[in-house]
Amino acid sequence: TMKKTSKKTVTVRKQLKIKLENTLTRQKNVRNFKPTHSLMVTWFKQLNKGLFGSKLPVVPLYLVRMTGDWGRCWANWDNRKCRKGTCDQSVIPYGKTEIDFAIELHITYPTFRDFVETLAHEMVHLYQMTIIQDPYSNHNANFFAFRNKFKSAGLNLSSILKLFITYDLAVTQVGSCLQIVKVIGRVVVNYCKIYIRSHLQHVTELF
């Protein structure tokens, strides 16, 4: 049986859609949009309430300069407690060690819509990682289950080309603690004013 959507949920999503439409109208002539951290926090709260029922945990939100990417949601853990040979290195090791989560966004976007849709996109990955504990947290059925919710709020969660996901391991030395950082990222290509989403994240620098 299909789970019914409560009237309260519908009302909250409509409120989000109205807020988005009003903001998009105010920002329609703005190009090269530069979000602030406070704006990122504000829209995280709005999207969390309207799309995720305020279920997402509050995680660190960062604005960083990215090359090729618009957003990343990552999980970070101490790999000494889940070493290669004893744990599957291609999945998030739930229950084996403490895991930290965060979202990073690029410092500039062509438009406000690109900013808010990127944030919402990465929040779906955060939902996968923290709420349902999907060990892959990629573009699977769990991810695209949010497509209708996004549509009802006036947001896009789709692509023109097939979405691809890659996991790149960046080894970082933090004091005496060797950590493995698993990064999920997005490349966004502007082609004839159509933003084609794909997930090709390359970590090239090892510390």
Side-chain angles (χ1 to χ4, degrees):
T1 58
M2 292 292 292
K3 185 178 180 180
K4 292 183 178 179
T5 303
S6 69
K7 291 183 179 180
K8 182 178 179 180
T9 300
V10 172
T11 300
V12 169
R13 202 161 298 150
K14 283 183 178 179
Q15 290 173 345
L16 173 61
K17 184 176 183 180
I18 291 170
K19 185 175 179 62
L20 276 167
E21 289 174 345
N22 291 339
T23 306
L24 287 167
T25 298
R26 292 195 303 270
Q27 300 284 349
K28 66 179 181 180
N29 295 320
V30 177
R31 295 296 180 267
N32 195 29
F33 181 80
K34 293 180 173 61
T36 63
H37 182 265
S38 61
L39 188 68
M40 189 178 177
V41 171
T42 296
W43 278 101
F44 181 93
K45 292 178 180 177
Q46 293 291 333
L47 294 168
N48 193 10
K49 181 179 180 181
L51 297 175
F52 304 95
S54 298
K55 294 179 181 178
L56 294 183
V58 176
V59 299
L61 304 174
Y62 301 108
L63 286 170
V64 298
R65 185 182 298 276
M66 298 182 184
T67 302
D69 298 331
W70 274 4
R72 288 193 284 258
C73 181
W74 52 259
N76 182 20
W77 63 88
D78 184 348
N79 205 47
R80 293 174 299 180
K81 297 182 180 179
C82 47
R83 295 182 184 279
K84 186 176 182 180
T86 61
C87 294
D88 186 347
Q89 299 294 297
S90 67
V91 299
I92 301 173
Y94 296 108
K96 301 183 185 303
T97 184
E98 184 177 345
I99 305 172
D100 297 318
F101 304 93
I103 290 176
E104 296 178 343
L105 294 186
H106 190 40
I107 59 174
T108 184
Y109 294 85
T111 65
F112 170 81
R113 174 177 285 278
D114 295 308
F115 154 71
V116 76
E117 287 187 349
T118 301
L119 176 58
H121 182 114
E122 302 309 329
M123 289 172 71
V124 177
H125 286 309
L126 184 63
Y127 181 91
Q128 291 175 291
M129 292 178 183
T130 61
I131 304 302
I132 62 175
Q133 295 192 345
D134 181 338
Y136 296 97
S137 295
N138 56 13
H139 297 126
N140 53 25
N142 294 328
F143 179 87
F144 285 109
F146 279 89
R147 181 176 282 166
N148 288 337
K149 288 184 178 181
F150 272 55
K151 185 177 180 180
S152 66
L155 294 167
N156 296 312
L157 187 67
S158 61
S159 64
I160 298 170
L161 297 181
K162 182 180 178 181
L163 291 171
F164 297 90
I165 186 74
T166 62
Y167 292 92
D168 292 295
L169 301 183
V171 183
T172 62
Q173 185 72 33
V174 182
S176 61
C177 178
L178 184 65
Q179 297 179 321
I180 297 295
V181 181
K182 185 155 296 199
V183 182
I184 297 178
R186 177 159 64 160
V187 172
V188 185
V189 180
N190 184 350
Y191 181 72
C192 296
K193 296 184 180 180
I194 298 174
Y195 299 112
I196 301 172
R197 271 76 174 183
S198 65
H199 270 248
L200 298 172
Q201 167 63 21
H202 300 284
V203 178
T204 58
E205 187 173 0
L206 299 181
F207 297 92

